[in-house]
């Protein structure tokens, strides 16, 4: 094994390179341990992995030959750039910002003495705190702040060596790590220390080894057994235990991206928009008009749109916590509630509007109202409440594909035989339900219903609420829009004209039946005028009009 480099008075570039190598090796060996403690801010069991990936990227960005005379400043800058580019997860973003603080503090220095090291850690702690919208006590941030304070106390002694400052910093971090269990309720309940804090403590102990030749042997006291933490998914509605105002709401996605071609003013405006969408907001500057953004939220699309208003985006990474947990096979399902007898096959349909609900209920479906936002948690609770283990679900476009997969995995793990059918709209769901036959085998019934749903071409009418670029040009607020599926294909100033044009496009491939589902805000006579147009131009086509009462569309069309 390579001889550990000992540094007596200063830490130079070679020492920092060696520290990065030791850090990667140590995080790799203890990754599973760190992952097993991960319960905050989201119990997704990946903090160790995220720190390792980020530290590898940092170490890989150090330039120059291994034995070259690199300055401490050059190595620190390489570490900061690499970590910024490769940061993964909340803990990775924080580590990248800490390394940026160190690099900025020691810029231009060939080597670092005790005073400079203490200043660098203080800079790292301050920069991390500024990057976070709501830094919580009892986390990696607390451990970093304590490490900086410990180094600062030691460096007040003008005779203190760099070794003494490093040891004081690592010892203070270890003490702070132990206190995290008492600072966050979610850690106390699990009986663990903060996972990110442990990762940082390990990295500081690696610096002690570089400076002194010996790594400290520390024992972490746990009030509970160190174990893989049960993975609750985004489909649960339990608290994250966050100090953030949104912390009582389960955030279902992690969104990360880089914002380029931006400036301080637009980034300052981005932060409150992300705060309103979720929590664990971190915005890290990378230089040259580039920032790294991290947020946990329920609406990843809105988080990305907020970023687009701040600049050009690249490397957009969206993680669904429930789907990620399901892929790892580590979900911890809630025991299935007892079902007194089997009530046969149930059909659960997501609907919007009183009239639409009546239509689905008349066909024997149990309805889940989408007048309020449908979350994976609400969907899972609705499935659990059914008196049947055999369930067919018509999501009718209310959930993303990722959410559908996540809920299905969770429900099946609880003993429910659940199948989600490919209905992306209310009119597709209605058509599908019309061929439902509970006397058939479930797979045959699901196939017949899915086939009908997939054959229904559908569209909708609505008014534009903002200026936007579409496939057929730019729309202005108040324009009438015709959508085929989810794509705008018609822009008109008149709603009836938009409806006529939309019908012409959708009927170009033929059709025998047009179903119109009239929304709550549709102008009086809209459906009647479109029906009259069809009767005149396509007398061979049957038209059925229902008063759905949905708010999402003025009119929804289904073509069979």
């Amino acid at each position: 094994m390579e001889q550990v480099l000992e540094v007596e008075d200063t830490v130079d570039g070679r020492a920092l390179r060696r520290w990065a190598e030791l850090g990667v090796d140590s995080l790799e060996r203890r990754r599973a341990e760190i992952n097993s403690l991960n319960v905050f801010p989201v119990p997704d069991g990946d903090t160790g992995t995220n720190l390792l990936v980020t530290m590898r990227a940092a170490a890989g960005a150090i330039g120059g030959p291994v034995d070259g005379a690199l300055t401490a400043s050059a190595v620190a800058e390489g570490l900061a750039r690499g970590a910024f580019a490769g940061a993964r997860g909340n803990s990775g973003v924080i580590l990248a910002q800490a390394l940026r603080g160190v690099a900025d503090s020691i810029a231009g220095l060939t080597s670092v003495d005790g005073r400079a090291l203490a200043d660098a850690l203080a800079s790292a702690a301050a920069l991390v705190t500024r990057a976070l919208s709501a830094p919580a006590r009892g986390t990696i941030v607390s451990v970093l702040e304590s490490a900086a304070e410990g180094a600062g106390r030691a460096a007040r002694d003008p005779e203190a060596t760099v070794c003494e400052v490093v040891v004081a910093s690592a010892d203070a971090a270890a003490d702070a790590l132990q206190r995290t269990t008492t600072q966050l309720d979610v850690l106390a309940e699990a009986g663990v220390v903060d996972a990110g804090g442990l990762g940082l403590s390990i990295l500081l102990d690696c610096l002690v080894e570089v400076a002194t030749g010996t790594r400290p042997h520390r024992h972490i006291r746990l009030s509970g057994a160190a174990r893989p933490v049960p993975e609750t998914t985004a489909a649960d509605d339990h608290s994250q235990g966050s100090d953030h105002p949104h912390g009582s709401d389960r955030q279902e996605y992690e969104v990360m991206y880089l914002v380029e071609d931006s400036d301080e003013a637009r980034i300052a405006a981005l932060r409150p928009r992300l705060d309103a969408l979720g929590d664990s907001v971190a915005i890290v500057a990378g230089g040259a008009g580039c920032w790294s953004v991290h947020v946990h939220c329920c609406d990843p699309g809105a988080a990305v749109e907020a970023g687009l208003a701040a600049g050009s985006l690249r490397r957009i990474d969206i993680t669904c916590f429930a789907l990620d947990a399901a892929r790892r096979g580590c979900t911890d399902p809630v025991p299935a509630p007892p079902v007194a007898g089997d009530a046969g096959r149930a059909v659960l349909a997501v609907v919007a509007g009183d009239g639409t609900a009546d239509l689905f209920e008349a066909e024997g479906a149990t309805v889940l109202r989408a007048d309020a936002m449908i979350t994976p948690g609400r969907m899972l609770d609705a499935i659990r409440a059914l008196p049947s283990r055999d369930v067919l679900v018509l999501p009718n476009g209310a959930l993303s594909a990722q959410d559908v997969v996540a809920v299905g995995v969770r429900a099946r793990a609880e003993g429910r035989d659940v199948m989600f059918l490919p209905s992306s709209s209310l009119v597709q769901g209605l058509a599908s339900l019309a061929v439902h036959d509970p006397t058939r085998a479930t797979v045959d019934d699901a196939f017949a219903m899915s086939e009908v749903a997939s054959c229904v071409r559908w569209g909708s009418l609505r008014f534009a609420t903002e200026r936007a670029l579409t496939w057929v040009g730019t729309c202005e607020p108040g324009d009438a829009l015709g959508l085929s599926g989810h794509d705008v294909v018609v822009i008109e100033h008149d709603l009836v004209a938009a409806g006529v044009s939309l019908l012409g496009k959708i009927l170009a491939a033929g059709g025998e039946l047009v179903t119109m589902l009239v929304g709550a805000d549709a102008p009086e006579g809209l459906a009647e005028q479109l029906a009259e147009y069809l009767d005149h131009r396509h007398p061979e086509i049957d038209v059925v009009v229902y008063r759905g009462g949905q708010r999402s569309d003025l009119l929804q069309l289904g073509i069979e």
Side-chain angles (χ1 to χ4, degrees):
M1 182 175 178
E2 181 180 344
Q3 180 66 35
V4 173
L5 177 65
E6 296 187 14
V7 180
E8 295 181 357
D9 298 319
T10 61
V11 173
D12 61 11
R14 291 183 61 213
L16 282 183
R17 183 197 287 274
R18 178 59 181 153
W19 168 73
E21 294 169 349
L22 283 176
V24 170
D25 180 67
S26 297
L27 290 175
E28 187 167 18
R29 285 188 288 104
R30 301 185 67 177
R31 173 176 54 175
E33 176 188 357
I34 299 171
N35 284 344
S36 75
L37 303 178
N38 182 196
V39 296
F40 180 87
V42 174
D44 48 359
D46 64 356
T47 293
T49 301
N50 292 342
L51 286 171
L52 174 59
V53 170
T54 305
M55 197 63 195
R56 274 180 178 162
I62 301 174
V66 173
D67 296 326
L70 290 173
T71 65
S73 174
V75 173
E77 181 61 30
L79 289 171
R81 286 200 312 270
F84 176 84
R88 176 170 161 178
N90 193 48
S91 55
V93 169
I94 291 173
L95 176 59
Q97 188 73 334
L99 291 173
R100 170 48 57 194
V102 170
D104 289 348
S105 180
I106 68 171
L109 297 182
T110 301
S111 60
V112 179
D113 61 12
R115 180 68 264 172
L117 178 61
D119 290 344
L121 289 172
S123 172
L127 204 59
V128 165
T129 301
R130 289 199 299 271
L132 304 177
S133 288
R137 305 303 302 170
T139 66
I140 185 175
V141 180
S142 302
V143 176
L144 177 58
E145 289 174 344
S146 293
E149 291 168 1
R153 286 192 298 270
R156 292 192 192 106
D157 181 355
E159 302 297 324
T161 66
V162 71
C163 295
E164 290 170 336
V165 172
V166 168
V167 170
S169 176
D171 288 347
D175 291 341
L177 173 65
Q178 194 63 63
R179 291 195 300 273
T180 59
T181 304
T182 65
Q183 293 173 313
L184 277 177
D185 290 343
V186 67
L187 299 180
E189 291 171 5
V192 298
V193 297
D194 181 68
L198 174 58
L200 178 61
S201 181
I202 290 170
L203 291 175
L204 288 170
D205 282 345
C206 289
L207 189 57
V208 172
E209 180 174 349
V210 169
T212 69
T214 303
R215 186 179 306 195
H217 295 285
R218 305 193 190 275
H219 175 68
I220 300 173
R221 299 184 304 278
L222 302 175
S223 58
R227 72 226 183 282
V229 178
E231 297 285 351
T232 56
T233 73
D236 292 317
D237 292 326
H238 305 300
S239 168
Q240 294 181 40
S242 170
D243 292 345
H244 192 278
H246 297 278
S248 60
D249 300 323
R250 168 64 62 187
Q251 307 300 350
E252 300 164 2
Y253 298 91
E254 178 181 62
V255 180
M256 294 185 67
Y257 49 75
L258 296 181
V259 182
E260 296 181 329
D261 304 321
S262 190
D263 52 50
E264 295 284 355
R266 284 191 287 173
I267 292 299
L270 172 61
R271 186 181 294 277
R273 293 188 66 182
L274 295 178
D275 285 337
L277 291 171
D279 54 30
S280 295
V281 175
I283 301 180
V284 175
C290 183
W291 281 262
S292 176
V293 174
H294 174 279
V295 62
H296 291 169
C297 62
C298 288
D299 189 346
V304 172
E305 288 178 1
L308 287 170
S312 303
L313 303 190
R314 68 181 180 91
R315 285 184 50 200
I316 300 173
D317 185 10
I318 300 175
T319 300
C320 173
F321 293 127
L323 182 58
D324 200 43
R327 283 171 174 167
R328 293 195 306 268
C330 57
T331 51
D332 181 39
V334 175
V339 178
D342 195 330
R345 187 178 315 137
V347 177
L348 178 67
V350 181
V351 304
D354 294 336
T356 309
D358 291 340
L359 290 171
F360 277 87
E361 287 177 337
E363 294 294 331
T366 299
V367 302
L368 174 60
R369 293 296 294 262
D371 304 289
M373 185 178 71
I374 296 296
T375 65
R378 283 191 65 200
M379 175 69 78
L380 186 59
D381 286 343
I383 293 172
R384 290 169 176 162
L386 293 171
S388 305
R389 296 202 183 279
D390 192 5
V391 182
L392 299 179
V393 181
L394 293 167
N396 296 336
L399 287 179
S400 67
Q402 285 186 324
D403 286 339
V404 165
V405 172
V407 174
V409 168
R410 187 63 179 267
R412 283 187 285 275
E414 296 177 11
R416 303 275 179 166
D417 293 324
V418 177
M419 297 181 68
F420 282 81
L421 307 185
S423 60
S424 300
S425 63
L426 294 171
V427 286
Q428 286 180 314
L430 275 175
S432 176
L433 191 57
V435 300
H436 166 55
D437 184 352
T439 66
R440 286 189 294 218
T442 301
V443 291
D444 294 335
D445 196 26
F447 176 81
M449 294 174 70
S450 297
E451 186 177 37
V452 169
S454 63
C455 289
V456 175
R457 303 189 304 282
W458 70 281
S460 58
L461 294 175
R462 60 185 68 167
F463 285 123
T465 58
E466 59 184 0
R467 192 172 192 269
L469 180 63
T470 76
W471 288 110
V472 290
T474 301
C475 66
E476 302 291 343
D479 281 348
L481 305 181
L483 287 79
S484 177
H486 299 290
D487 297 323
V488 175
V489 296
V490 173
I491 300 175
E492 294 281 358
H493 295 299
D494 178 74
L495 189 61
V496 174
V500 168
S501 179
L502 178 63
L503 283 168
K505 292 179 181 296
I506 297 180
L507 286 171
E512 299 176 356
L513 172 65
V514 174
T515 300
M516 298 186 188
L517 200 59
V518 184
D521 299 323
E524 190 68 31
L526 173 63
E528 288 73 14
Q529 292 180 72
L530 294 179
E532 183 178 350
Y533 160 78
L534 286 173
D535 185 56
H536 175 70
R537 293 292 301 271
H538 301 279
E540 75 282 3
I541 294 179
D542 294 326
V543 180
V544 178
V545 178
Y546 297 113
R547 301 292 167 179
Q550 74 277 5
R551 296 283 181 182
S552 56
D553 302 306
L554 299 174
L555 191 76
Q556 197 170 111
L557 303 168
I559 313 296
E560 301 176 59

